[in-house]
Amino acid sequence: MKGLNIVVCVKVVPKNSEIRIDPETNGVDRRGVDSIINPPDKNAVEAAVRLKELYGGKVTLLSMAPPGLDDFFHQMMAMGADEFVLLSDRAFALADSYPTVHTLAAGIRKIGKVDLVLAGVESADGGTGNVPPGLGEALEFTQATYAEEIDYNSEEKRFIIHRMNGSGHEVISIPSPSVVSIELGVNSPRFPDFRRKLDLDENYKMTVWSNKDLELPEDKRGLSGSFTTVEEFVEAKKRERKHERIEGTPEEIADKLADLILENMN
Amino acid sequence: MGKDKKAKGIWVFIEQFEHAALDISWELLGKSRELADKAGEKLIALVMGDNVEHIAQEAVHRGADEVFLVEDELLEHYKCENYTYAAYKVIKKNKPNQLIMGATPNGRDIAGRLAVKLKTGLTADVVSLDTTKDGIMLGQVPGFGGSVLAVIKCEVARPQMATVRPGIFEAIPIDKKRKGKIHKIDADLDKKYETTKLIKLQKVEGVDISKAKRLVAGGRGLGGDVSALKELAELLDADIGVTRPLCDDGLFPRDHQVGSTGVTVKPEITINFGISGAAHYTAGINKSNTIISINNDPNAIIFEYSDYEVIGDVNKIMPLLIEKLKAKLMKEVKQ
Ligand SMILES: Cc1cc2nc3c(=O)[nH]c(=O)nc-3n(C[C@H](O)[C@H](O)[C@H](O)COP(=O)(O)OP(=O)(O)OC[C@H]3O[C@@H](n4cnc5c(N)ncnc54)[C@H](O)[C@@H]3O)c2cc1C
Ligand SMILES: Nc1ncnc2c1ncn2[C@@H]1O[C@H](COP(=O)(O)O)[C@@H](O)[C@H]1O
């Protein structure tokens, strides 16, 4: 293929501010909770579409998810992606990062010869960030996580990545194919093309692969392939606070505040 | 390693940058000393780099019973393929029961890759860590933006892996009388398999607000003008924290960001100006001793996390507050 064959791993997550613990089951109560596209995944789609605009090629979005999320998937496609592949099967359910990695890796292999796999830096629900470097290992690709910028050198067939490594800012180059995770907020994801979205809603039939297609053994998929278990959920401890309201004219408030701050300074 | 049950020892990955260990490494070692004693395990430090023997020595002085020291030119800078290969080799041979790493960009990069290579579970971004007496690791992870904590364990595979947030645990002070064995390991790395090229590396002289004694924090309610916030910080000799949008807008570098994807702080006092109190943010300030919040919306969630609440306009209150503080501080000096 001419240009870059890019796969972007994308995910839909519950809107976190609405999550509560169900006091009866002690599980997470997702009832009535809205979903959103995992925020950094939009940055990853944006990065992919920009690369395609510069160097040609194709952008395929890939998600392991239950059915019923087409509306979100079409929104992401309408940002400029070409295809959508959904990995969906009861056998994939309740996966932690290890089987998620192997399921996505099997999907990527089945898509064919790819030049670049992009992902978001972490998911807003589980928030592990394990999947992108895990994919690097499973696919035996080089990886770069926490990327802030990505460009491509078509002569050398290498990607140039800017990333923060925690102590410094580095620019590295990695070969094609590679896995790169894109940091949240590093570009401005474009709005979905409204007409394309409508057209997709009516006419697009995405590729759906079940485990009949991927043939993953039990130890590489779903609950049976997971190593970690959730022992329990606990509500994040809020410290007891005094909740004293400071009132008055702005002048008076500022005066009381100043005293309070100075009292608490030692 | 997968389901290997003969695994022994609590291992801590000592992350370093340009021959200096990161603080998180010593924090992890400090906490793991306590865990190792509880589970009756040895505490082992894994040090990788080039010319880092002094770090291995310091690991002993800070609590490690033994150190595996892997030195190689190719480990001078973090490159995932070299670090993963070298770490995998040592781990495979010596079979740790638990492996604890920092939830830093590079710590999470190598942890995610290693876990798949080792066929084991990885609990990422832990904010609290414990072990049973039988050596089962229990990691608490904030989910859903920090409103919920999940206690996660991995019973069926070894090593049990976790990455831990910086700024949560305390390092043990250096004690030069501590003794421990340092094993030097040959990484057997070959440049031919190196795939990452380092083009440029710039050390960022960042600030570390995780150790702030006082924090003045600003959000979008400041309306983009951060001059009063800076003046207050100077006046109070406080550090500056901000919400994520202010970093996204380039008003402050990332190391000033407080919250679930930023820094966890634990100062004596935190003052929030124009911050709504999203779970992502409050997850980072919960450990503050006293919290004061100023917001013009009486229903702002930030008030649920506050000791002192002011409903008001930051544009009005901040200049007045600066004035009052100056006056009071002057008076103190004169007395
Ligand atoms: C995956 C993910 C990770 C994230 N991680 C973090 C993180 O680590 N840290 C973080 O902070 N955020 C994080 N966020 C973003 C977070 O969800 C919130 O969007 C953010 O904290 C809101 O910032 P804010 O309070 O400054 O802005 P807003 O929510 O816009 O709040 C501004 C507040 O200012 C008040 N205000 C406005 N004008 C005035 C005035 N004149 N005087 C007084 N008050 C005024 C308003 O009433 C409002 O309450 C993350 C988001 C995602 C999706
Ligand atoms: N089920 C999934 N389907 C597609 N992509 C995923 C899935 N889970 C994780 N990812 C990708 O991996 C990134 C990091 O997720 P995580 O490692 O789960 O925090 C996400 O931003 C996605 O790009």
Side-chain angles (χ1 to χ4, degrees), chain B residues 128-141:
Chain B
S128 158
L129 198 61
D130 200 357
T131 180
T132 65
K133 288 202 171 71
D134 314 324
I136 300 289
M137 175 197 273
L138 301 167
Q140 283 196 2
V141 175

Side-chain angles (χ1 to χ4, degrees), chain A residues 3-4 54-55 151-160 173-176, chain B residues 197:
Chain A
L4 293 169
L54 287 171
Y55 304 102
D151 199 358
Y152 181 59
N153 180 329
S154 50
E155 269 152 50
E156 294 182 16
K157 293 201 181 341
R158 291 179 74 86
F159 296 98
I160 296 97
S173 97
I174 53 178
S176 161
Chain B
K197 281 188 208 156

Side-chain angles (χ1 to χ4, degrees), chain A residues 122 128 141-143 145 158 163 169 171 173 229 231-232 234 237-238 244-246 251 259, chain B residues 106 108-109 113 149 151 153 195 197 199-200 202 214 280 286 288-289 304 307 309 324 328:
Chain A
E122 65 178 32
T128 71
F141 291 180
T142 305
Q143 76 199 29
T145 49
R158 291 179 74 86
R163 72 187 283 267
H169 184 266
V171 184
S173 97
T229 48
E231 172 97 335
E232 58 176 337
V234 290
K237 251 185 269 151
K238 257 195 229 167
E244 261 176 51
R245 188 145 292 179
I246 301 171
E251 235 1 92
D259 285 336
Chain B
N106 287 348
R108 290 176 77 176
D109 189 270
R113 192 157 185 134
L149 290 168
V151 183
K153 59 183 186 181
T195 50
K197 281 188 208 156
I199 298 170
K200 206 165 105 190
Q202 213 172 11
R214 305 170 197 126
H280 280 125
N286 214 4
S288 310
N289 211 8
E304 291 180 21
D307 295 292
E309 316 170 350
K324 301 279 178 198
K328 288 180 204 272

Side-chain angles (χ1 to χ4, degrees), chain B residues 121-332:
Chain B
L122 166 58
T123 309
D125 217 17
V126 159
V127 294
S128 158
L129 198 61
D130 200 357
T131 180
T132 65
K133 288 202 171 71
D134 314 324
I136 300 289
M137 175 197 273
L138 301 167
Q140 283 196 2
V141 175
F144 310 105
S147 51
V148 171
L149 290 168
V151 183
I152 297 188
K153 59 183 186 181
C154 164
E155 287 183 295
V156 294
R158 297 292 178 271
Q160 309 166 72
M161 290 177 66
T163 56
V164 181
R165 275 294 174 91
I168 289 174
F169 299 126
E170 306 254 326
I172 303 179
I174 291 180
D175 174 357
K176 295 208 159 146
K177 285 190 294 259
R178 276 182 188 274
K179 296 255 177 316
K181 188 155 175 48
I182 297 176
H183 309 271
K184 290 193 178 178
I185 309 283
D186 180 11
D188 190 23
L189 284 162
D190 189 335
K191 183 131 181 107
K192 156 170 113 199
Y193 299 112
E194 186 170 271
T195 50
T196 305
K197 281 188 208 156
L198 183 66
I199 298 170
K200 206 165 105 190
L201 181 62
Q202 213 172 11
K203 189 161 180 170
V204 181
E205 289 299 345
V207 296
D208 180 7
I209 64 166
S210 73
K211 298 194 174 61
K213 280 224 171 77
R214 305 170 197 126
L215 192 79
V216 293
R220 289 214 307 198
L222 295 179
D225 179 1
V226 294
S227 54
L229 191 72
K230 287 184 173 163
E231 193 175 346
L232 266 173
E234 205 154 314
L235 207 53
L236 297 173
D237 191 18
D239 286 291
I240 298 180
V242 292
T243 59
R244 175 151 199 145
L246 273 63
C247 297
D248 291 348
D249 293 347
L251 287 168
F252 281 93
R254 263 311 149 204
D255 45 13
H256 285 277
Q257 183 187 318
V258 176
S260 63
T261 53
V263 180
T264 306
V265 297
K266 35 184 185 306
E268 281 303 310
I269 180 166
T270 293
I271 315 166
N272 298 306
F273 296 98
I275 293 175
S276 62
H280 280 125
Y281 174 76
T282 53
I285 58 162
N286 214 4
K287 292 202 169 112
S288 310
N289 211 8
T290 299
I291 298 181
I292 303 177
S293 303
I294 297 103
N295 194 306
N296 62 5
D297 173 5
N299 298 319
I301 297 170
I302 193 72
F303 292 134
E304 291 180 21
Y305 296 83
S306 307
D307 295 292
Y308 301 101
E309 316 170 350
V310 175
I311 299 167
D313 184 344
V314 288
N315 297 313
K316 286 216 186 85
I317 290 173
M318 288 175 89
L320 289 171
L321 178 60
I322 290 170
E323 217 176 273
K324 301 279 178 198
L325 280 169
K326 276 189 185 156
K328 288 180 204 272
L329 286 166
M330 279 308 278
K331 219 159 123 196
E332 271 181 30

